[in-house]
């Protein structure tokens, strides 16, 4: 693996982050990734602070290596989750779906490294200015809440605009993707979808089955009308939601249709009521394996590709 500044900064072996996926990335998955030499990240999603504290304690009991917690900034519990993170002195905080400026001082005072997800150059620059240690540039190929730009466009633009390390996310699930991210100016990657098939990932068996079977056109984006576009598997729920969205359902009813949908997918595997978040690269995820093997396979795969890089031009 090319020497990444991220490894030194965070005390990890491979510059591979496991993305914080709501209701999925718990303390056990995060600890398994960190034990494997990557950076495991607990997702707080829309969960209350007590749940997040419990998952942090679980991760601490399973690994002495650094791990992170992701704060979903649209959550009604974001303020209290932010405080728990500071109290627990978590090594790394990542944020998603918004601007985390108001928490920055508190997290830095607690000794955490803050690494926000950004979907634009402007937010990346602002994050650098207020003291972020790095930024995660996430393209719209990713699962969950998506921005406008693709990884291919966003990563080099952000890498040119800031001097802090850039981690690429969105559409990466193997060594080729990781090597490409390096070529675009990133010094690490974050993957979510690839970890849906980790042995330590406790999604409902029906969710896992859908992931393993998904092909290249298996995902779609819904939620644009309410301003929170989300990429998920093209299930009965996603199709119905889309019909309602473009069929003129009032905003409050549409909002209600989406409430609890992530949890239904993860815990009950229910295709009628559940929203199965996944990125476009889900088509490449087709085997179940330990999280540590995923981290190593992707990092070693990138190494292999990069070694042959001089011979690429055909
Ligand atoms: O956050 C994510 N992915 C997520 S969050 C989530 S839970 C959810 N539930 C209901 C509605 C929406 C989400 C599921 N997946 N990824 C990180 C990410 N952040 N992607 C894009 C962004 C982003 C977009 C705009 C970050 C900042 C931003 O800036 C807004 C601003 O205020 O400047």
């Amino acid at each position: 693996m090319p020497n990444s500044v991220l490894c030194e900064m965070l005390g990890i072996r491979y510059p591979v982050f496991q993305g914080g996926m709501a209701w999925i990335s718990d303390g056990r998955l995060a600890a398994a990734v960190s034990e494997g030499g990557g950076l495991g990240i607990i997702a707080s999603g829309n969960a209350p602070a007590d749940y997040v504290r419990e998952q942090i304690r679980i991760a601490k009991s399973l690994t002495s290596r650094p791990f992170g917690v992701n704060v979903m900034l649209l959550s009604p519990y974001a303020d209290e989750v932010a405080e728990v993170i500071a109290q627990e002195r978590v090594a790394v905080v990542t944020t998603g779906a918004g601007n985390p400026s108001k928490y920055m001082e508190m997290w830095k005072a607690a000794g955490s490294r803050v690494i926000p997800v950004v979907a634009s150059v402007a937010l990346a620059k602002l994050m650098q200015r207020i003291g972020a240690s790095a930024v995660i540039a996430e393209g719209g190929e990713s699962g969950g809440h998506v921005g406008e730009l693709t990884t291919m466009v966003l990563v080099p633009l952000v890498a040119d605009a800031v001097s802090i390390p850039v981690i690429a996310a969105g559409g990466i699930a193997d060594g080729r993707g990781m090597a490409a991210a390096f070529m675009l100016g990133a010094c690490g990657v974050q993957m979510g979808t690839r970890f849906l098939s980790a042995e330590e990932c406790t999604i409902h068996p029906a969710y896992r089955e859908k992931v393993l079977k998904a092909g290249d056109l298996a995902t779609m984006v819904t939620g644009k009308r309410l301003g929170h576009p989300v990429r998920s598997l093209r299930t009965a729920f996603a199709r119905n939601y889309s019909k309602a969205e473009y069929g003129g359902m009032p905003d409050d009813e549409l909002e209600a249709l989406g409430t609890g949908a992530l949890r239904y997918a993860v815990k009950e595997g229910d295709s009628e009521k559940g929203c199965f978040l996944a990125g476009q690269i889900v088509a490449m995820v087709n085997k179940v394996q330990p999280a540590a093997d995923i981290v190593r396979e992707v990092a070693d795969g990138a190494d292999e590709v990069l070694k042959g890089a001089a011979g690429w031009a055909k």
Side-chain angles (χ1 to χ4, degrees), residues 15-237:
V16 174
F17 291 14
Q18 159 258 310
M21 299 171 280
W23 301 112
I24 298 174
S25 306
D26 57 11
R28 282 182 186 84
L29 178 62
V33 172
S34 290
E35 279 293 294
L39 186 80
I41 298 178
I42 294 166
S44 51
N46 273 322
D50 281 352
Y51 166 86
V52 179
R53 194 191 298 278
E54 191 187 328
Q55 297 307 319
I56 293 171
R57 299 266 166 96
I58 289 171
K60 282 180 179 170
S61 74
L62 295 172
T63 185
S64 54
R65 300 195 179 179
F67 63 87
V69 176
N70 174 263
V71 183
M72 207 281 277
L73 295 164
L74 295 169
S75 165
Y77 300 106
D79 285 352
E80 54 183 77
V81 167
E83 273 174 34
V84 162
I85 286 169
Q87 287 159 10
E88 294 287 328
R89 303 194 170 272
V90 173
V92 177
V93 190
T94 67
T95 61
N99 177 344
S101 297
K102 68 173 175 171
Y103 305 121
M104 199 65 150
E105 215 173 292
M106 175 173 67
W107 288 334
K108 292 195 67 167
S112 299
R113 295 276 186 181
V114 184
I115 308 186
V117 171
V118 299
S120 68
V121 167
L123 192 63
K125 284 179 162 171
L126 174 63
M127 293 301 102
Q128 168 169 275
R129 196 157 66 242
I130 65 171
S133 293
V135 288
I136 300 166
E138 185 183 283
E141 298 94 322
S142 69
H145 186 65
V146 289
E148 280 293 328
L149 298 174
T150 59
T151 303
M152 186 86 167
V153 171
L154 182 66
V155 172
L157 289 177
V158 170
D160 282 348
V162 299
S163 55
I164 52 178
V166 177
I167 295 122
I172 301 166
D174 71 353
R176 290 169 298 179
M178 184 165 179
F182 275 100
M183 297 294 103
L184 294 175
C187 54
V189 295
Q190 173 167 284
M191 301 185 296
T193 302
R194 175 76 196 255
F195 286 103
L196 290 175
S197 69
E199 276 174 13
E200 298 85 350
C201 177
T202 56
I203 50 176
H204 192 280
Y207 197 154
R208 174 164 293 171
E209 235 7 73
K210 286 186 190 344
V211 166
L212 296 173
K213 287 195 180 135
D216 54 348
L217 301 177
T219 73
M220 64 190 283
V221 175
T222 54
K224 277 196 174 159
R225 206 186 88 201
L226 294 183
H228 306 307
V230 162
R231 182 179 298 284
S232 69
L233 293 177
R234 194 184 292 277
T235 56
F237 172 85

